[in-house]
Amino acid sequence: MSDYERYGDYDNTEEDEPKKRTPVGLILRVLIALILIGTVGLLAFRLILFESYPRAASDLVYTEPLAAYYDGAAGEIGAKTQKLRFPYSDAQNGYFFCSRLIVIPGAENLQIALRYNLSTLTALSEEYGVAMDQDSPDLFSFRLADNTGRVYETVAYDGFSSRMIYRYHKLVFDGVDLSDAVKWIRLEIFLAGAEDGEEPVGRVLIYENNEDYAKFTPYRLSRREKR
């Protein structure tokens, strides 16, 4: 066997040996894993925050007429809820979002939770040229309108709360017609003080009872919601 052949065998043996892992490669893999875990965790946190509401925004609120109705019905108030098909005020910008609808037809009571985030206030401030305090409960006013032409401008209860980037209003209306003649009800949102002759900055369809959609489910009162 020639010397050249021996050198060839030696070189092949070196190539077959496993390469040693460098600390730099390990560090890179750890960093990538941490970034992926952090991204997934952030998305999960945002989803949980998006789906959850403070109790102040979601629990049933008793106005005087509803409390009297509750007592007269021995707690069997016939509350119902409905999943909103179009919960956003704007399909593109989505400034306002409604959820947690509760209706008690016998008491003519309607309750809804309205949510918006801080970017909504920034956008509206730029669009209308007004300063908006993100922690003020008095930035907006609200009313209901239905397909029959009725407008309900008196809000029986408006509870403001906040969580992280979100702001919430728990809105309760008394004396709302919830008979079969009412096919839809929408919530209209105005900048405070700009109700007369001004267009709302948002509209959300919060109630449907028509041929296209009329699905309701019983709303079961939690222990803390019972009187």
Side-chain angles (χ1 to χ4, degrees):
M1 183 181 292
S2 67
D3 291 339
Y4 292 110
E5 291 175 334
R6 292 192 182 95
Y7 285 127
D9 292 340
Y10 178 75
D11 290 340
N12 290 337
T13 301
E14 274 190 335
E15 291 177 357
D16 292 339
E17 291 181 357
K19 295 181 179 179
K20 294 182 178 179
R21 295 182 178 179
T22 64
V24 175
L26 178 60
I27 291 172
L28 286 175
R29 283 192 291 274
V30 171
L31 287 175
I32 292 172
L34 290 175
I35 291 172
L36 290 174
I37 293 172
T39 301
V40 172
L42 179 60
L43 291 174
F45 175 75
R46 288 294 300 270
L47 181 61
I48 293 171
L49 183 63
F50 181 83
E51 293 294 338
S52 66
Y53 278 68
R55 289 180 179 177
S58 59
D59 281 3
L60 185 73
V61 170
Y62 287 94
T63 59
E64 287 187 13
L66 182 57
Y69 182 78
Y70 180 99
D71 294 340
E76 300 297 326
I77 60 176
K80 300 187 294 184
T81 187
Q82 181 180 66
K83 183 177 181 180
L84 307 189
R85 291 197 298 166
F86 310 106
Y88 285 103
S89 60
D90 186 307
Q92 182 177 359
N93 296 317
Y95 287 157
F96 300 97
F97 182 89
C98 286
S99 184
R100 307 303 195 270
L101 173 70
I102 307 172
V103 292
I104 302 100
E108 296 187 330
N109 181 277
L110 183 149
Q111 309 195 7
I112 193 74
L114 172 76
R115 184 187 70 204
Y116 55 88
N117 62 30
L118 298 183
S119 64
T120 293
L121 300 183
T122 300
L124 291 177
S125 178
E126 293 173 354
E127 183 175 353
Y128 292 94
V130 294
M132 307 191 82
D133 179 0
Q134 66 182 29
D135 294 315
S136 172
D138 303 317
L139 296 177
F140 304 105
S141 63
F142 311 95
R143 74 182 187 190
L144 299 182
D146 67 19
N147 62 289
T148 70
R150 291 186 183 89
V151 175
Y152 302 92
E153 296 184 331
T154 300
V155 182
Y157 176 85
D158 180 358
F160 178 78
S161 56
S162 63
R163 177 183 288 176
M164 305 291 286
I165 63 171
Y166 291 116
R167 301 295 181 266
Y168 308 84
H169 285 268
K170 171 70 176 187
L171 302 172
V172 183
F173 294 85
D174 281 323
V176 180
D177 183 4
L178 297 168
S179 68
D180 290 338
V182 178
K183 305 303 180 184
W184 55 260
I185 299 173
R186 72 186 179 209
L187 176 69
E188 298 181 340
I189 303 114
F190 295 86
L191 291 177
E195 298 85 351
D196 296 333
E198 297 288 341
E199 284 294 310
V201 295
R203 296 183 178 93
V204 186
L205 184 62
I206 62 170
Y207 173 92
E208 292 186 84
N209 188 20
N210 50 61
E211 294 180 358
D212 292 333
Y213 190 66
K215 185 177 180 179
F216 291 90
T217 56
Y219 180 83
R220 302 188 183 283
L221 276 62
S222 65
R223 182 177 300 179
R224 65 175 178 270
E225 291 176 303
K226 296 178 180 179
R227 283 170 52 81

